[in-house]
Amino acid sequence: MDDSRHPTVTDPEFYRVVFENDRVRVVEFRDTPGTRTMRHHHPDSVLITLSAFRRRMTMDDRVVEVDRAPFEAGWMVEHTHIGENVGDTPAHVMFVEIK
């Protein structure tokens, strides 16, 4: 992956690395209602929600709205998108990125 497209580079005000080794990188994400990210890339990851949120994900060929409850975990395939918090609550998420 081109590290210049990693969200910690494109949107450091929202994303930060909290742990990294040769197998995984753990990234924390936080934002507030109305905020929008730059276009960025996520590798295959486990997504763990720490708060409920609603987001609009704009990918190259489609737009998807996502609602998540707190304390869910799920697989997220590699993709590139722009994210926007379209809900009423701040979002707090952890990504466990597979290297």
Side-chain angles (χ1 to χ4, degrees):
M1 178 180 81
D2 175 5
D3 279 343
S4 69
R5 296 186 316 153
H6 192 269
T8 58
V9 174
T10 62
D11 295 288
E13 66 275 28
F14 303 129
Y15 292 89
R16 71 181 184 101
V17 174
V18 295
F19 174 81
E20 185 169 11
N21 65 21
D22 61 330
R23 295 183 173 201
V24 299
R25 177 170 27 198
V26 180
V27 177
E28 180 182 34
F29 170 78
R30 290 179 182 262
D31 77 353
T32 56
T35 58
R36 182 179 169 102
T37 66
M38 302 294 289
R39 187 171 188 272
H40 61 273
H41 182 83
H42 290 279
D44 286 342
S45 306
V46 175
L47 177 138
I48 304 159
T49 60
L50 300 177
S51 68
F53 64 85
R54 172 179 273 176
R55 297 191 69 70
R56 179 174 300 128
M57 312 296 277
T58 303
M59 296 165 207
D60 291 334
D61 58 347
R62 62 190 167 111
V63 176
V64 178
E65 291 210 4
V66 177
D67 285 292
R68 294 285 183 143
F71 308 112
E72 291 182 343
W75 182 251
M76 186 178 78
V77 297
E78 174 182 24
H79 69 281
T80 300
H81 74 270
I82 296 168
E84 182 179 1
N85 185 330
V86 294
D88 299 326
T89 61
H92 189 194
V93 177
M94 299 296 276
F95 297 91
V96 180
E97 300 177 348
I98 309 305
K99 289 188 174 181

